[in-house]
Amino acid sequence: MSTKRLWDLVFAGLIAAAAVVFLPRALAPGSAFVARMPEAAILTLTPLVKLACLLVAAWAATASARGFEAGNPVRPAWRLLATGLGLYALGQAVSVYYQLLRDVRTPFPSPADFFFVLSAGFLILALPAFVRAFRDAGFPFDPRRDVLLPGAAGVLLGIGVLFLVHPALDADRFGLAEALNVFYPLSDVVMLVPAIVLARITARLRGGSVAAVWALLAAGFLVLVVGDVCFAWLTIAEDARFDPLGDLAYVVAYALFARATLRQRELLAG
Amino acid sequence: MPPVTPRSAVPCQRVEEVVERVLSPYVGATMARAATRGHYRALGIGGPDLEPEQLDSLVQKVGLGLHIFVGRERTAELLAAIRRDLDSQGAPA
């Protein structure tokens, strides 16, 4: 079995396992199946799996950025992505510290949010950089078809996201937690537009090995938005069902980032 | 990027086939075809054959596109494959 196939199976298996663990916990929390789950193992493994995926993604994105020569239009995009994923991994490492070493739920807000907020800035900048690189490389690029229409779809979805989390704005006390509950979905909305543009471009590359890299990246960003909406709802509505849904979305998003960046590294290695 | 240096003019259709065959595994058949034709338009190529200089310009443009996906080294290998394919098929007199 080739290394590429092996990694495909590892990440597909990881996503499937996350669905088996977290979906029943969200949809049927009182079921016998959930009651039989090894709770301690899940609580230990989940933050570690998230951290492992983010570390792999940050490492492979860094390797990819280094694999592109100076002056290559896509190199800045990979560097921004690598920095964003690295900061995300630092935030997750802080979360692991709370959950596994101090045996408490990660406070919100916490020092982890400092890294998550910084990371969001780099990730937001990375996405348009990929789109610019594609345009500058001389591939057929129609701003109306490739940017305006998918961008409009992204704006509509973004409005939907804001509608979902608007109760955070109505909070009686508007502190750092509430501000972050607004910032995360807002940054997601900003991220959604170029993510959908990237997905649109990727559709035109279908059938080629590059499509997998960019499709996995775009999908990772879209699932990340779902995770942030779940997290915002968990804290706004204090509805515990959103906790496993958020965990599922984050594990899937990080796994997609890891596979995308590893695939790019494989492409560069030939 | 090394020039293609064909001996004489090469039929456009043959160049298209070779370039698309090399690009397709990376960017898919649809984009490979669209990119090749887009480059033809950008370079003002309209005749039945490509002159050696036009072929060089085309291959340079193809390389510019490929190197954002696979990097400089792999792009050089793929352009060399295009050159080999065109050479092995022989340019018509």
Side-chain angles (χ1 to χ4, degrees), chain A residues 67-74 78 133-134 136-140 201 204-211 214 264 267-270, chain B residues 23-32 34-36 38-39 41 61-74 77:
Chain A
F68 288 108
E69 68 285 358
N72 190 316
V74 86
W78 280 102
F134 179 84
D136 294 348
F139 285 104
I201 288 173
R204 295 172 58 209
L205 299 169
R206 65 187 174 279
S209 49
V210 168
W214 289 33
Q264 179 59 57
L267 262 180
L268 284 166
Chain B
L23 281 182
S24 289
Y26 297 93
V27 298
T30 310
M31 180 56 83
T36 311
H39 292 325
R41 274 195 301 277
K61 278 200 171 286
V62 168
L64 186 70
L66 262 179
H67 88 312
I68 69 158
F69 296 129
V70 297
R72 185 168 50 195
E73 286 176 20
R74 186 91 189 100
E77 289 170 20

Side-chain angles (χ1 to χ4, degrees), chain A residues 24 59 98 118 132 156 176 186 234 240 253:
Chain A
W59 169 76
Y98 280 110
L118 273 183
R132 269 198 307 275
L156 284 178
L176 184 57
L186 264 182
L234 173 70

Side-chain angles (χ1 to χ4, degrees), chain A residues 4-91:
Chain A
K4 176 174 168 280
R5 182 88 184 117
L6 183 67
W7 279 122
D8 282 342
L9 285 176
V10 166
F11 284 101
L14 181 62
I15 289 170
V20 168
V21 169
F22 294 115
L23 275 181
R25 292 161 78 87
L27 303 176
S31 65
F33 180 68
V34 171
R36 280 200 300 271
M37 282 185 183
E39 193 66 21
I42 291 169
L43 287 175
T44 304
L45 280 176
T46 303
L48 287 177
V49 165
K50 287 180 189 172
L51 180 60
C53 285
L54 285 169
L55 285 174
V56 167
W59 169 76
T62 305
S64 297
R66 285 185 181 155
F68 288 108
E69 68 285 358
N72 190 316
V74 86
R75 194 184 197 201
W78 280 102
R79 290 175 91 161
L80 287 165
L81 183 70
T83 310
L85 290 170
L87 287 164
Y88 222 118
L90 281 174

Side-chain angles (χ1 to χ4, degrees), chain A residues 204-227:
Chain A
R204 295 172 58 209
L205 299 169
R206 65 187 174 279
S209 49
V210 168
V213 177
W214 289 33
L216 287 164
L217 268 186
F221 280 106
L222 296 176
V223 179
L224 190 65
V225 173
V226 175

Side-chain angles (χ1 to χ4, degrees), chain B residues 17-35:
Chain B
E17 284 167 10
V18 170
V19 172
E20 283 173 30
R21 191 168 60 240
V22 173
L23 281 182
S24 289
Y26 297 93
V27 298
T30 310
M31 180 56 83
R33 195 171 308 118

